[in-house]
Amino acid sequence: NAGVTQTPKFRILKIGQSMTLQCTQDMNHNYMYWYRQDPGMGLKLIYYSVGAGITDKGEVPNGYNVSRSTTEDFPLRLELAAPSQTSVYFCASSYSISANYGYTFGSGTRLTVV
Amino acid sequence: AQKVTQAQTEISVVEKEDVTLDCVYETRDTTYYLFWYKQPPSGELVFLIRRNSFDEQNEISGRYSWNFQKSTSSFNFTITASQVVDSAVYFCAPQIEGNKLTFGGGTRVLVKP
């Protein structure tokens, strides 16, 4: 049981480049989330999804896009990367918020934009 | 606006001392869940405890205990007899809006031997 898998683990982008952060879960969870964590800060919600075909904005969606074509996958797209998007990105999934442990987190993607 | 406040940015203790982490949040919901997560230096996020808002009985689990007071929207977390391995950043994460968690800014705990 792999849980939540994020790829890549590390990436350096140049300003203006684009990339997709991949997130896959094998637990048949309906809820999936993308958070970013800036150095020394808490996690801020970028986008989330309550099921395949349904996505919604979180607190900091600007500069990002998501899609949810399957239950398993929830990729995060960065268009025109900017230095302000330098952060650690965490994907998470959940069967339900009332589940005993809340979220299952991926191990994170550390992104640097130069 | 800050909806989840962890006022302590860093706490430093000597091993075996107790550590209490404060968390205050804002919500209009009457039924919700609250969580604490730990982030060790390796960077992963580790689930610690879960609490629901409709049961105010405080609990203890091993060296962890928590004090939930719905009337003041506070959810404090205590580590008893701290150990060096407890050194980490601790996040309070209540479910204050829909089916998602809102994280506080975190409290860094440093336990010195």
Side-chain angles (χ1 to χ4, degrees):
Chain A
N1 191 340
V4 178
T5 302
Q6 289 185 238
T7 56
K9 293 191 183 302
F10 304 93
R11 183 73 185 268
I12 298 176
L13 276 182
K14 294 184 178 179
I15 294 172
Q17 287 185 322
S18 300
M19 77 165 293
T20 298
L21 281 66
Q22 301 292 343
C23 177
T24 299
Q25 53 93 5
D26 62 358
M27 298 168 286
N28 202 34
H29 286 172
N30 283 325
Y31 299 94
M32 295 189 74
Y33 310 85
W34 275 106
Y35 287 84
R36 59 176 286 173
Q37 183 181 25
D38 298 336
M41 306 292 285
L43 282 71
K44 294 189 183 298
L45 184 64
I46 306 172
Y47 271 95
Y48 66 102
S49 170
V50 301
I54 306 170
T55 62
D56 208 348
K57 296 179 180 178
E59 182 183 357
V60 289
N62 292 342
Y64 307 95
N65 279 300
V66 294
S67 61
R68 183 94 183 271
S69 56
T70 66
T71 298
E72 295 76 23
D73 300 309
F74 191 41
L76 178 71
R77 178 80 177 164
L78 278 72
E79 304 282 0
L80 299 175
S84 60
Q85 293 178 304
T86 293
S87 191
V88 178
Y89 292 83
F90 287 99
C91 179
S93 73
S94 175
Y95 173 74
S96 165
I97 282 294
S98 61
N100 286 339
Y101 42 81
Y103 290 172
T104 299
F105 282 97
S107 57
T109 295
R110 185 175 296 274
L111 175 68
T112 302
V113 181
V114 296
Chain B
Q2 182 76 302
K3 295 185 177 180
V4 182
T5 302
Q6 294 181 247
Q8 307 142 307
T9 55
E10 186 166 323
I11 299 175
S12 182
V13 297
V14 176
E15 204 169 19
K16 297 184 183 178
E17 289 183 341
D18 296 347
V19 181
T20 295
L21 309 180
D22 299 332
C23 176
V24 177
Y25 56 91
E26 302 171 22
T27 184
R28 297 177 182 174
D29 291 345
T30 56
T31 303
Y32 48 90
Y33 290 85
L34 308 103
F35 298 81
W36 278 91
Y37 287 88
K38 173 182 178 180
Q39 187 175 44
S42 53
E44 75 270 25
L45 288 151
V46 179
F47 164 79
L48 293 178
I49 60 172
R50 163 186 174 268
R51 183 80 214 150
N52 62 57
S53 65
F54 40 90
D55 182 359
E56 292 204 45
Q57 181 177 0
N58 295 312
E59 296 182 22
I60 298 174
S61 176
R63 294 190 298 111
Y64 299 152
S65 62
W66 46 99
N67 185 332
F68 169 59
Q69 295 192 358
K70 193 171 184 178
S71 60
T72 57
S73 296
S74 66
F75 185 45
N76 299 335
F77 174 68
T78 297
I79 305 171
T80 301
S82 62
Q83 301 174 2
V84 172
V85 293
D86 295 327
S87 296
V89 181
Y90 290 81
F91 292 101
C92 175
Q95 175 213 357
I96 57 176
E97 287 181 307
N99 289 301
K100 50 191 184 292
L101 302 182
T102 300
F103 286 76
T107 298
R108 181 176 301 278
V109 174
L110 177 61
V111 181
K112 300 177 182 177

